[in-house]
Amino acid sequence: EAGVVQSPRYKIIEKKQPVAFWCNPISGHNTLYWYLQNLGQGPELLIRYENEEAVDDSQLPKDRFSAERLKGVDSTLKIQPAELGDSAVYLCASSPGLARSYNEQFFGPGTRLTVL
Amino acid sequence: GIQVEQSPPDLILQEGANSTLRCNFSDSVNNLQWFHQNPWGQLINLFYIPSGTKQNGRLSATTVATERYSLLYISSSQTTDSGVYFCAVLLTSGTYKYIFGTGTRLKVLA
């Protein structure tokens, strides 16, 4: 069974440019998460989807960040415009769904963003 | 908000040694997972353990939810065990959100 797929793996952009990250979750997983991980720290949740619905986006900086999960499968996270402080690793994870008794999260390899 | 603290923050072991990593959390949780983040940044699932004890090879974990802690045991450590170990807890109150701990950075020397 394929795991969580993310692309690109690395991205280098100049500040004020837009950037987008793509995630394909494990087949059948209803819940999709986007996390931000700064160097030396644990991942922090940006947004959580249950199917197509963003049910927790309280940590998403909405002035420059946006996300979508069309058809409840793939998801895209966008930053426009990027700032120097956005340099980090962006992780996508999926889990079967909070309505299920078993809800283990699985992570993709992440996208390492460098903003110059 | 909930506090998830891990100890020790850093650990250096000789190959073959045993270790215990601890995760303390300040509120009731539904689920708890242990992850190993390897030097390439990939988060690898170790245990999904809301309560009780589980074992997988040289690793085992115990969660005592009523006392709000979990332990990860690594026996006969190998250099490939190096990396950062995170626990992540799923809150029961408010939004269903996974909160990651502060991490334990492990280095196993040959």
Side-chain angles (χ1 to χ4, degrees):
Chain A
E1 180 181 306
V4 178
V5 180
Q6 290 188 248
S7 68
R9 293 294 312 279
Y10 305 91
K11 190 73 177 178
I12 301 174
I13 61 172
E14 295 191 346
K15 63 180 180 181
K16 300 185 182 181
Q17 294 298 307
V19 64
F21 315 123
W22 175 80
C23 173
N24 179 246
I26 291 173
S27 177
H29 280 192
N30 294 331
T31 306
L32 184 145
Y33 315 77
W34 281 103
Y35 288 87
L36 166 71
Q37 186 174 25
N38 288 307
L39 189 64
Q41 298 181 22
E44 298 176 14
L45 183 70
L46 289 173
I47 188 167
R48 173 171 66 87
Y49 283 92
E50 293 292 334
N51 299 304
E52 311 83 40
E53 184 180 0
V55 295
D56 183 357
D57 62 356
S58 57
Q59 302 302 311
L60 191 71
K62 298 181 184 61
D63 56 337
R64 297 183 301 107
F65 286 64
S66 64
E68 62 181 9
R69 190 183 184 196
L70 300 176
K71 301 181 181 179
V73 181
D74 295 1
S75 179
T76 303
L77 178 68
K78 298 178 181 177
I79 308 175
Q80 182 170 12
E83 297 180 351
L84 295 176
D86 296 331
S87 295
V89 176
Y90 292 82
L91 295 162
C92 180
S94 70
S95 66
L98 290 174
R100 306 187 190 182
S101 59
Y102 177 78
N103 197 38
E104 185 175 1
Q105 280 186 112
F106 294 87
F107 280 81
T111 297
R112 183 176 299 276
L113 173 67
T114 302
V115 182
L116 303 176
Chain B
I2 187 172
Q3 302 295 317
V4 184
E5 296 183 352
Q6 292 183 239
S7 60
D10 296 279
L11 187 58
I12 300 175
L13 300 173
Q14 287 292 331
E15 201 167 28
N18 302 329
S19 61
T20 300
L21 282 57
R22 187 177 181 102
C23 172
N24 289 333
F25 40 96
S26 60
D27 205 346
S28 299
V29 299
N30 255 344
N31 291 325
L32 186 144
Q33 287 188 247
W34 281 99
F35 295 93
H36 173 214
Q37 190 163 40
N38 64 22
W40 295 272
Q42 176 71 53
L43 279 161
I44 299 166
N45 290 38
L46 298 178
F47 293 102
Y48 176 84
I49 186 167
S51 63
T53 297
K54 291 185 177 180
Q55 180 156 8
N56 184 4
R58 297 182 296 104
L59 304 182
S60 65
T62 295
T63 296
V64 184
T66 53
E67 297 186 20
R68 299 181 181 173
Y69 73 89
S70 183
L71 302 174
L72 177 68
Y73 307 94
I74 305 175
S75 64
S76 304
S77 57
Q78 301 175 358
T79 56
T80 52
D81 295 332
S82 297
V84 183
Y85 289 79
F86 288 104
C87 65
V89 301
L90 180 66
L91 303 182
T92 56
S93 57
T95 61
Y96 282 84
K97 179 181 296 187
Y98 270 102
I99 304 295
F100 276 75
T102 50
T104 292
R105 186 174 300 275
L106 174 65
K107 187 172 181 62
V108 181
L109 305 176

